[in-house]
Amino acid sequence: MSLGRNRSGASGFMIVMQMQPVGSAIREINYDRTLIRNLIGRSADWRSDRFRGNLDRSSTRWLMASRHLLTGATRTLRACMPTASLHTTTCCSWQKFENERHFEPGEDILGRTWHGLTYDWRRWRRRYYEARKDAWKKRHPVAHMKYAPMDHEMWPHRAEITIIGGGLAGSSTAYWIKQRFRDEDFRVVVIENNDNFMEGTTMLSTGAVTAQFSIDEHIEMSLFTAEFLRHTGIHLHVLDSQPPDTHFLPKSYLHLATTEEQKKMLQDNWKRQVEKGARVTILSAEQLSERYPFMDFSDVLMGSLGIENEGVIDTWQVLAAIREKNITLGVHYIKGEVEGFEFNRRPDQNVMEEDGNIWEKELPTRVIGVTVRPQMSAASPRLIRSHLIVNAAGPWAGQVAEKCGIGKGDGILAVPVPIEPRKRQVFVVFAPGVPPDMPVLFDECGLRCTQMNIGNTYLISRIPTPDEDAKIDHKDMSIDYTEFTEKIFPVLVKRVPSFESAQIKSAYAGYEDFNTFDTAPIIGPHPTYTNVHMMCGFGSRSAMHSIAAARGYAEKILDGAYININLVGFLEDLKKKLLYFSKIYF
Ligand SMILES: Cc1cc2nc3c(=O)[nH]c(=O)nc-3n(C[C@H](O)[C@H](O)[C@H](O)COP(=O)(O)OP(=O)(O)OC[C@H]3O[C@@H](n4cnc5c(N)ncnc54)[C@H](O)[C@@H]3O)c2cc1C
């Protein structure tokens, strides 16, 4: 059986059942491929005499006419359909949240559609040539022995997408990509540095999930995550095993305002949150006292309280469930540390050294892979070739980017990725006197008090002010108990007197991936190395935002547009940040 040209002309294919030598079948397929390339107008081969010689005069005319027709039709369509007209708008806000498509100006929508439609053809062609190579190898095993170890190794030597960091951000990215595109040829590899894994922020997170933010994207991401967590049993279910349990504890979050300025901000935020579909209510001091009589609101002007989609999760359980699901979807997790990046280089300029030697300087143009040191004894670093590399290394994202030359080169490469590991402390407190309906408390001084589980254990932390943060030694991970006794305890006892009898059970410190520029996440491609993408800088919000951000990111790279959550703002943010930094540096 072979694919042959339709007798009526070049307009289609028909299946021809006939016995013929393999060579001629291959020629026939190559011939048809040229025909298709001509039809879509991407090749100039049709002009050549060689090709024209294979066709009679009328077929050539037909080909030329159809090519012009197709090109003309495509151009007219593009001209008639400005990108804005492809936005679909709906009247209900929840529908808008679910269905709105966000296309960016200048996107080649038709080109993308064509790429999708012809994907099967290209895959078939690749498999065909691979099979042919295999058949050849079988006939000449000795000549091809050198390929064999590479092909049969468990350690991947190529991947479509390589993700650096297997925390919540990296694993969620792998999940949404693989869940959407399960083709076994499409390899997704997650590299996890086991030495850092226990220090990774996902392990140490207090697991707060709330939608009370002042930025649209943050609110949308929180709502999406809450919806996802509610359905983890469906999303992350693995065949023949129990649906995963994320230990979700529904809890309302209480934000308090004690000054007029804070009150105004709370009201503005509340309007924005309600507009986006979050269920949040505004309460006066009297209403708050009525609701929570065991708390002191004497200095409070106003409070905002979440009614739905808020609570506390066990981030380790969520991560474990996502990783398990990922493995069943075909994501390849490897234990190793990314040590460097491999580049395509082009000759740049001749450089003359002092001793008169002239050598040609090369300029890295594109990243082609990552060098990983496997975490096994006496293993040397190996290259994993990759089309796309996602930097989801959490607090170490800035350091990983540096290994790629970002922040070390000239021009835009002189601008570093502004992510730094910042030390944060959490105190585990046992407070038997506190009533169980105590909300998760966000005090205006940065104090955060979260109930750990249904018992009387609370996780208490405090976000330091920028001045305090600058003075902290972020490399010293020992616990500073004076923070609890001097800064946290007095404020907490004033607000909730029942904490008077509380005892510290333990305390721990972990790193937060802090964006030193504006504390917002950095999502999207680097302007110079466009196949190196960032997925970092979530700070103390990643547990509730990285799942949603990863979904948006997967939509962007697979569909070419944000469908559920519009993260264009963060992408634009990255560009703005780099421009801002470049103004400082140049
Ligand atoms: C104390 C604390 C409390 C928090 N509380 C909350 C909260 O209540 N709610 C909330 O939403 N968020 C919270 N967060 C934030 C949240 O936990 C994190 O932002 C989030 O888990 C980050 O996930 P990540 O995948 O980006 O990073 P990580 O989980 O840190 O993962 C990054 C991974 O990259 C790997 N890696 C690094 N360098 C390399 C390399 N060179 N090669 C290979 N691998 C590498 C590391 O091993 C690490 O495992 C808190 C954070 C802290 C520190």
Side-chain angles (χ1 to χ4, degrees):
M1 192 181 82
S2 74
L3 290 173
R5 193 154 54 91
N6 192 328
R7 228 177 281 161
S8 61
S11 58
F13 287 111
M14 67 173 189
I15 308 293
V16 183
M17 296 291 293
Q18 59 187 40
M19 294 297 289
Q20 53 181 347
V22 178
S24 78
I26 292 162
R27 231 175 294 127
E28 189 119 15
I29 287 160
N30 283 340
Y31 176 77
D32 282 338
R33 200 179 57 199
T34 322
L35 198 70
I36 286 177
R37 259 198 269 139
N38 281 311
L39 273 173
I40 63 172
R42 288 207 176 153
S43 159
D45 265 7
W46 64 276
R47 285 174 218 270
S48 72
D49 291 341
R50 182 179 60 77
F51 186 74
R52 238 185 262 175
N54 286 338
L55 296 168
D56 58 25
R57 194 170 270 267
S58 65
S59 310
T60 316
R61 269 204 216 110
W62 190 93
L63 254 180
M64 283 173 69
S66 56
R67 182 179 181 275
H68 286 307
L69 205 71
L70 264 175
T71 321
T74 315
R75 282 194 190 139
T76 321
L77 260 174
R78 276 186 194 155
C80 296
M81 291 200 306
T83 323
S85 72
L86 288 166
H87 280 261
T88 56
T89 38
T90 46
C91 45
C92 307
S93 73
W94 72 267
Q95 276 185 346
K96 201 169 148 210
F97 176 71
E98 293 279 315
N99 302 327
E100 192 175 332
R101 290 183 67 93
H102 304 274
F103 292 103
E104 280 176 28
E107 268 195 41
D108 183 5
I109 295 157
L110 289 177
R112 214 176 55 225
T113 311
W114 175 256
H115 183 86
L117 289 173
T118 53
Y119 177 80
D120 276 354
W121 159 256
R122 275 179 277 117
R123 185 174 61 171
W124 175 86
R125 197 181 62 181
R126 190 175 67 230
R127 286 188 177 173
Y128 169 78
Y129 282 110
E130 274 175 11
R132 212 167 64 150
K133 198 178 91 186
D134 277 357
W136 177 246
K137 270 163 55 178
K138 268 190 203 135
R139 288 178 66 189
H140 303 275
V142 176
H144 290 85
M145 254 165 72
K146 61 182 177 187
Y147 290 116
M150 214 179 198
D151 287 353
H152 299 132
E153 254 191 21
M154 291 302 286
W155 187 270
H157 55 88
R158 74 151 188 94
E160 264 61 44
I161 299 183
T162 299
I163 298 168
I164 305 168
L168 210 48
S171 291
S172 310
T173 308
Y175 168 71
W176 286 118
I177 291 171
K178 256 313 196 183
Q179 189 252 13
R180 173 81 171 65
F181 200 74
R182 296 194 186 180
D183 196 314
E184 77 269 26
D185 282 354
F186 192 85
R187 279 198 219 178
V188 177
V189 170
V190 178
I191 305 166
E192 177 51 49
N193 182 357
N194 251 27
D195 295 342
N196 282 357
F197 195 57
M198 293 316 289
E199 286 173 23
T201 46
T202 305
M203 299 295 122
L204 307 171
S205 167
T206 48
V209 178
T210 172
Q212 294 187 50
F213 289 102
S214 55
I215 300 174
D216 287 356
E217 286 89 351
H218 283 165
I219 302 168
E220 280 190 17
M221 287 198 286
S222 291
L223 291 176
F224 182 92
T225 305
E227 196 65 26
F228 178 85
L229 290 171
R230 201 177 288 162
H231 298 105
T232 40
I234 300 167
H235 291 298
L236 305 178
H237 188 207
V238 174
L239 199 67
D240 291 337
S241 57
Q242 289 291 320
D245 182 5
T246 57
H247 297 178
F248 183 68
L249 176 68
K251 273 269 159 200
S252 292
Y253 283 64
L254 179 62
H255 288 250
L256 298 174
T258 50
T259 61
E260 281 302 328
E261 198 189 333
Q262 286 173 0
K263 185 180 165 186
K264 169 89 179 52
M265 204 192 291
L266 208 68
Q267 278 171 328
D268 290 347
N269 292 350
W270 170 74
K271 271 185 210 148
R272 196 176 282 261
Q273 289 151 12
V274 171
E275 220 170 76
K276 283 277 151 201
R279 292 202 61 207
V280 181
T281 182
I282 285 273
L283 298 171
S284 64
E286 294 76 45
Q287 286 168 318
L288 284 169
S289 304
E290 218 171 274
R291 203 166 183 138
Y292 301 112
F294 55 91
M295 291 172 80
D296 176 14
F297 296 107
S298 52
D299 59 338
V300 171
L301 296 179
M302 185 176 271
S304 72
L305 185 76
I307 301 174
E308 206 181 71
N309 286 331
E310 298 197 325
V312 184
I313 48 163
D314 184 339
T315 40
W316 166 235
Q317 290 290 338
V318 177
L319 179 62
I322 294 179
R323 282 167 75 106
E324 207 165 309
K325 180 73 184 177
N326 278 351
I327 290 164
T328 64
L329 290 175
V331 175
H332 201 146
Y333 276 88
I334 56 172
K335 291 176 191 167
E337 187 186 353
V338 172
E339 285 203 338
F341 289 74
E342 199 63 31
F343 299 89
N344 254 346
R345 293 167 196 276
R346 68 171 165 78
D348 184 30
Q349 57 188 28
N350 287 336
V351 179
M352 186 187 278
E353 286 183 349
E354 281 172 7
D355 55 6
N357 280 343
I358 296 178
W359 57 280
E360 201 175 46
K361 193 179 162 192
E362 286 186 328
L363 205 66
T365 51
R366 190 179 164 80
V367 178
I368 53 167
V370 287
T371 318
V372 185
R373 180 180 288 278
Q375 276 167 342
M376 50 181 97
S377 55
S380 50
R382 294 166 190 209
L383 174 68
I384 301 177
R385 288 182 161 267
S386 192
H387 294 294
L388 188 69
I389 294 145
V390 182
N391 179 1
W396 300 275
Q399 292 165 20
V400 167
E402 221 171 77
K403 289 178 185 169
C404 181
I406 298 170
K408 280 181 159 179
D410 301 326
I412 209 91
L413 281 177
V415 183
V417 170
I419 303 293
E420 278 179 16
R422 291 281 168 96
K423 178 185 166 188
R424 298 288 178 256
Q425 300 189 122
V426 178
F427 298 92
V428 186
V429 169
F430 180 62
V434 179
D437 59 337
M438 154 111 180
V440 177
L441 180 66
F442 276 78
D443 213 276
E444 82 288 351
C445 69
L447 183 135
R448 192 195 266 195
C449 176
T450 318
Q451 194 171 351
M452 197 170 148
N453 47 38
I454 211 74
N456 292 99
T457 307
Y458 293 84
L459 298 176
I460 302 174
S461 57
R462 185 175 159 274
I463 301 163
T465 60
D467 288 344
E468 286 170 346
D469 208 19
K471 284 182 200 149
I472 295 173
D473 176 7
H474 293 285
K475 287 193 181 115
D476 175 16
M477 295 304 272
S478 58
I479 304 295
D480 173 15
Y481 283 94
T482 55
E483 178 167 319
F484 185 81
T485 50
E486 288 172 13
K487 292 174 185 158
I488 294 178
F489 195 65
V491 180
L492 191 63
V493 169
K494 187 185 168 299
R495 184 72 65 218
V496 191
S498 356
F499 266 102
E500 190 79 66
S501 57
Q503 295 161 0
I504 297 185
K505 274 167 77 175
S506 62
Y508 60 85
Y511 284 126
E512 182 185 295
D513 48 342
F514 188 78
N515 179 347
T516 52
F517 180 64
D518 63 357
T519 72
I522 301 181
I523 302 166
H526 186 266
T528 307
Y529 298 133
T530 47
N531 63 334
V532 177
H533 290 198
M534 305 296 157
M535 174 58 82
C536 48
F538 292 95
S540 58
R541 303 171 303 267
S542 176
M544 60 187 125
H545 287 168
S546 53
I547 295 173
R551 165 74 190 213
Y553 173 76
E555 284 168 359
K556 178 70 185 162
I557 59 164
L558 295 177
D559 299 323
Y562 294 115
I563 295 165
N564 280 281
I565 302 154
N566 188 358
L567 300 176
V568 174
F570 291 141
L571 189 71
E572 287 304 310
D573 228 28
L574 175 65
K575 285 183 197 149
K576 267 187 243 153
K577 268 169 223 170
L578 289 170
L579 286 176
Y580 173 83
F581 274 110
S582 45
K583 260 188 235 151
I584 294 174
Y585 286 108
F586 310 124

